[in-house]
Amino acid sequence: MPALTTSVKDEICSVYPANLSAMVAELSTMFRFAGGLQINGGIVSLQAELTHPGAAHHLSELVRKVYSIEPDVVAISNSMRQGNMYLVRVMKDGERVARRAGILDVRGRPVRGLAPQIVGGTKADAAAAWRGAFLARGTLLEPGRNAALEVTCPSMEAAYAIGGLARRLDVSYRARESRGAFRADIREGDAISTMLARMGANDAVLKWEELRTEREVHGQANRLANFDDANMRRSADAAIIAVIRVKRAFEILGDDIPDNLRQAGEYRMKYPEDSLNLLGERLTPPATKDAVAGRLRRLNTMADKRAGELGIATTMDAVHEQTGVADRTL
C-alpha cells in the first residue's frame, strides 16, 4: 500500500460522523465497496475484506454504534501480499442490517450502486460515504503527472454513484473502467486537497500540499535548467558559426576590408565566447551591440558578394562545409 494511502487511512479511521444518517452512509459504503452480501443456506450475512487494520476497527465500531451488534473481525494471513487481510462480518441479523443500510432494496434485491438515501442525502452523508469508500478501496498517488485520489468500485453504477457524491461536494471526478476494474478518481490537485479535507484528513492535506509545492519547485527548476542548457548550446553554436564566417570573409577580402569592420571581425575571432555587448566594449572606440552586429553583417555581406563575383565558396558555404549545417547566425 503506498505510503500516502496508509497515512490517509491512519488518520481518517479515527474520524466518526456526528449524526446517524452519515454513520449509515459510511458503513453501507464500506460494506458495498469492500465485499457485500453473502448468502449461505438462505441466510444473509454482510462481509467486508479490508487491508488496513484501522479500517476494520472503524467499520466494527460503526456497526456497534448504529445497530448494537458485535461483528466478527478475523485477521487472515495473505501470502500474495505483505500484511494481513481483515474480514469484518455481520452474521446475526445480516439481512436486517443489509436492508437498513440500503445494501438490499425494499424488494430484497442487491443494490448495484449506492443506497438511494445516500445518493440523495446531505453533504455530510456524501463526505462520510467517500471516507468509507476510501477506507475500503482507496488509493492516493503522489503529486505529479499521475497524481490521483482513486477508489476501486464494485460496479460502474457504484463508480457513478460515488462520483456524483463528489460532485455534490464541489469536487470534479472521472468514472472509468481500467484493466477490468471500475474506478472513480479525482485528478486535479486542488480537488484532491478538497476531498481529503472533506473526509477529515487534515494532516494529509498539509502533507499533500507540501509535496505538491516541492514537486512544482523541482519541476520549475528542471525546466529552467533545461532552458539555460538549450540557450547555452545555441549561443555556443552561434559563436562557432560566426567565427567560421568571419575567417572566410577575411580569406575572401584580404586587405580590402574597412578598418571598423576589420576590427569587429578580429575581435570576434579573438573572443569567440563574448556576447555582442561585451565585444562592443572591447572595441576602440566602444560600440553598441547593434553596431557590432551591423559591422559583422556588412563584413559577411561584402565577402559573400565578392565570392559570388569570383565564383568561389561564400562564408555560408564554409559554415556548411565545416559543420554540416546552413545557418545565417552571425
Side-chain angles (χ1 to χ4, degrees):
M1 187 183 297
L4 269 180
T5 300
T6 300
S7 65
V8 173
K9 291 187 178 183
D10 286 344
E11 184 175 3
I12 64 176
C13 68
S14 63
V15 178
Y16 289 91
N19 59 71
L20 180 62
S21 67
M23 288 184 186
V24 172
E26 190 163 335
L27 71 86
S28 175
T29 305
M30 288 191 74
F31 276 119
R32 183 75 184 90
F33 279 60
L37 295 165
Q38 299 288 319
I39 302 176
N40 294 310
I43 298 175
V44 176
S45 63
L46 280 175
Q47 180 172 296
E49 296 179 356
L50 302 161
T51 57
H52 188 277
H57 175 76
H58 184 87
L59 178 57
S60 300
E61 281 297 304
L62 286 173
V63 172
R64 292 189 193 97
K65 290 180 178 181
V66 176
Y67 302 113
S68 300
I69 292 175
E70 187 67 34
D72 296 325
V73 181
V74 181
I76 303 172
S77 178
N78 192 331
S79 59
M80 299 298 292
R81 66 179 74 178
Q82 294 181 350
N84 294 329
M85 178 75 72
Y86 300 89
L87 190 64
V88 180
R89 293 181 300 193
V90 177
M91 308 289 289
K92 182 181 178 181
D93 292 331
E95 183 172 355
R96 176 178 68 88
V97 172
R99 286 179 181 274
R100 291 180 62 184
I103 298 170
L104 287 174
D105 66 15
V106 292
R107 297 184 181 181
R109 298 173 301 189
V111 173
R112 289 190 57 79
L114 287 174
Q117 65 263 34
I118 300 174
V119 174
T122 65
K123 286 190 174 183
D125 296 343
W130 260 94
R131 185 166 50 248
F134 191 88
L135 285 170
R137 290 293 183 269
T139 304
L140 178 61
L141 302 179
E142 288 196 1
R145 183 163 52 182
N146 297 320
L149 191 159
E150 183 179 87
V151 173
T152 301
C153 308
S155 66
M156 185 56 77
E157 291 90 342
Y160 281 119
I162 198 71
L165 296 179
R167 190 166 53 240
R168 178 173 300 175
L169 296 171
D170 302 317
V171 174
S172 59
Y173 80 99
R174 180 180 62 170
R176 61 193 175 94
E177 183 178 356
S178 174
R179 299 186 297 276
F182 306 103
R183 306 177 193 277
D185 58 34
I186 301 166
R187 303 193 68 85
E188 200 273 322
D190 289 340
I192 291 173
S193 292
T194 298
M195 182 55 78
L196 288 172
R198 293 286 195 178
M199 292 191 300
N202 296 314
D203 291 343
V205 172
L206 297 177
K207 179 64 175 177
W208 170 260
E209 290 297 340
E210 179 183 338
L211 289 172
R212 278 183 74 191
T213 301
E214 289 178 358
R215 184 62 61 92
E216 288 171 2
V217 169
H218 183 66
Q220 185 178 20
N222 283 340
R223 286 191 295 273
L224 289 174
N226 292 336
F227 179 77
D228 288 343
D229 287 345
N231 277 345
M232 290 175 66
R233 287 194 297 271
R234 281 194 292 269
S235 296
D237 291 344
I240 292 170
I241 291 170
V243 169
I244 293 172
R245 293 194 70 185
V246 168
K247 286 182 178 179
R248 180 56 183 162
F250 274 49
E251 291 172 359
I252 295 169
L253 296 173
D255 295 332
D256 192 15
I257 303 174
D259 289 342
N260 63 335
L261 304 190
R262 179 179 296 278
Q263 186 188 40
E266 288 175 345
Y267 275 71
R268 177 74 288 175
M269 290 188 289
K270 186 175 181 181
Y271 304 104
E273 296 181 357
D274 277 6
S275 66
L276 292 177
N277 276 326
L278 185 54
L279 207 63
E281 293 175 4
R282 295 184 185 276
L283 298 180
T284 305
T288 64
K289 169 185 174 181
D290 290 339
V292 174
R295 292 175 192 179
L296 294 174
R297 188 161 45 245
R298 289 197 299 275
L299 174 63
N300 291 328
T301 300
M302 285 179 61
D304 288 341
K305 183 179 179 181
R306 178 72 60 81
E309 294 170 352
L310 298 175
I312 60 176
T314 66
T315 61
M316 286 308 303
D317 291 333
V319 170
H320 185 67
E321 180 181 346
Q322 295 185 44
T323 66
V325 299
D327 193 327
R328 297 199 176 275
T329 306
L330 288 176

